[in-house]
Amino acid sequence: MAYKHIIDSERCKGCGLCVEFCPKNVLEITDQVNEKGHFPVFQARPDDCIHCTICCTVCPDVAISIVEIEKQIIA
């Protein structure tokens, strides 16, 4: 199965817990301010993500999710 990593940048307050705990150093805090005046995280290295869900677990704002997606079959 394939997975998609989603960050709700408007919900994220940029606390950095996910950045700190990511075992593959995938996440970084952006220099772009969201509507609430926070600097949210983003996937700086998405190809390195192993979809371990640690970032989802430690996020106090429930701003990160990893969802399963179906791969398209090319005939």
Side-chain angles (χ1 to χ4, degrees):
M1 281 292 173
Y3 298 93
K4 182 175 181 179
H5 189 274
I6 303 167
I7 300 172
D8 184 342
S9 61
E10 291 306 315
R11 181 177 268 188
C12 175
K13 66 178 178 242
C15 69
L17 284 173
C18 58
V19 175
E20 180 80 24
F21 285 97
C22 179
K24 295 295 184 177
N25 198 30
V26 171
L27 304 168
E28 290 183 7
I29 295 178
T30 184
D31 59 356
Q32 303 291 318
V33 178
N34 65 15
E35 287 186 15
K36 294 180 182 176
H38 301 295
F39 295 91
V41 299
F42 72 103
Q43 269 193 306
R45 289 162 290 284
D47 291 337
D48 292 343
C49 182
I50 59 172
H51 307 104
C52 65
T53 70
I54 291 173
C55 57
C56 303
T57 304
V58 300
C59 181
D61 300 308
V62 194
I64 304 173
S65 57
I66 295 176
V67 295
E68 193 172 3
I69 57 172
E70 291 185 30
K71 288 186 178 181
Q72 292 181 348
I73 300 173
I74 300 172

